[in-house]
Amino acid sequence: MSDFIEPSSRIKRLPPYLFGRLNALKLEKRRQDIDIIDLGMGNPMDGAPDLVIDKLCEAAHDPRNHRYSASKGIYNLRREMALKYERNWGVSLDPETEVLATIGSKEGFSHMCLAMMSPGDTAVVPDPAFPIHIYGVVLAGGNVITVPLGNDQQFLKTIAMVCEHLFPRPKLLILNYPHNPTAMTVDEGFFETVVDLAKRFNIAVIHDFAYGETCFDGYKAPSFLSVKGAKDVGVEFTTLSKPYGMAGFRIGFVAGNRKMLDALATIKGYYDYGIFQPIQIASIIAMRHCQEQIIIQNEKYRIRRDVVCQGLRRIGWEVEVPRASMFVWTKVPQEHSRGKGSIDFAMELLDNAYVAIAPGRAFGENGEHYMRIALVENEHRLRQAIRNIGRYIQGKSVPGKRKKAAR
């Protein structure tokens, strides 16, 4: 090894990847042909609508679509998202200046942090948090102040107190409802206080709305941008990954404040040449013609949610039935984890029950003693997963189901 090769200091600011041990053990088990029920990652398994796939194939056959595309996204794609906002949340957006396409919302969020944060700037992030909401700031050279996650006025008062007493004042407030990992939601009126707070303390807002269309039981998640004055203080990220089963397509959007979008567009102009154009064209078809797909997909998640919540309650775990997202957030009784932290307990479940779920500690200190279960398998597999966990915590052996050998 060359002693003079030294990664940047930003790499050293990142902690060890907490999912690394789990992924390594999962790979080891699969090499032994052990069937692992993987509920660790929110990776949709149901696939994109046929109409979208057909359009993708058609567009891919046209050599004109093989060239570099626009880093902001083609105009018709941005216009379709603007129409979607008007249709779903009554938000009027200018496709040219107030909507920008990103390579998934995760890439867009990361580059927005790079566009907004200077070394020493501070962002306020609730804990627990989706990791990129913290480490996107860190990679941009900023600092993170965490506050315990909430969804009420007291939570916003806590943020206001941080803004009032921190000097220099925070530059960004990062929110995410419906929330990942906890599935926490907010109701109408919440974002009005957020906008007032942002104007009072001159703090910009980034709202991650990735699960905004993945809702159940009549609940409709409010858009941050639907509040008067929201576009003056912040932006909102959305994605086609969850509602249309298009996670691997990497199509996301950011909408709202023109100054923030201009800054992100400048960064992206240096970093990328845009998304493969056939994917953009297929995404237009998804938003234009596949609204029924969202209803069908949400019903699948609702059924899976009920299976998991009922099963967890039977084995004695605490769970609140979520009204949005594709996750169930559950508290593990101390007697079941035998006092172990959530990461070590997740390793035990993978090693002995052959079920992979995400440890709450991976999302922040306030996630300890909790687990996140992704609703990405069918009902049969989910029931099997809960049975396996139940057998393990009762001290019973779990049969190591083997995969059938390929012929």
Side-chain angles (χ1 to χ4, degrees), residues 83-91 213 220 244 291 294:
L83 291 171
K84 185 181 180 76
Y85 258 97
E86 180 71 49
R87 184 172 65 243
N88 286 7
W89 298 288
V91 177
E213 293 185 90
K220 182 176 181 181
Y244 301 100
Q291 292 308 107
I294 300 175

Side-chain angles (χ1 to χ4, degrees), residues 321-355:
V321 178
R323 55 179 182 170
S325 90
M326 58 186 294
F327 302 110
V328 170
W329 182 248
T330 177
K331 189 171 186 180
V332 181
Q334 290 273 354
E335 61 268 24
H336 289 178
S337 63
R338 292 178 283 280
K340 290 184 171 65
S342 61
I343 296 173
D344 288 337
F345 185 57
M347 291 289 291
E348 280 195 9
L349 291 180
L350 178 55
D351 200 19
N352 299 286
Y354 313 122
V355 178

Side-chain angles (χ1 to χ4, degrees), residues 106-183:
K106 189 175 181 181
E107 173 273 322
F109 177 87
S110 302
H111 281 149
M112 180 63 82
C113 289
L114 203 60
M116 292 295 296
M117 303 294 287
S118 299
D121 286 342
T122 300
V124 178
V125 185
D127 177 0
F130 186 53
I132 198 61
H133 294 162
I134 291 177
Y135 298 113
V137 174
V138 170
L139 287 169
N143 302 314
V144 174
I145 295 288
T146 60
V147 296
L149 176 68
N151 59 357
D152 57 12
Q153 295 302 310
Q154 184 57 50
F155 165 69
L156 295 177
K157 285 180 181 178
T158 301
I159 294 174
M161 185 174 66
V162 170
C163 293
E164 194 168 354
H165 292 94
L166 191 68
F167 184 82
R169 284 181 172 170
K171 190 169 186 180
L172 279 181
L173 169 60
I174 296 167
L175 298 173
N176 167 212
Y177 301 99
H179 188 259
N180 180 9
T182 71

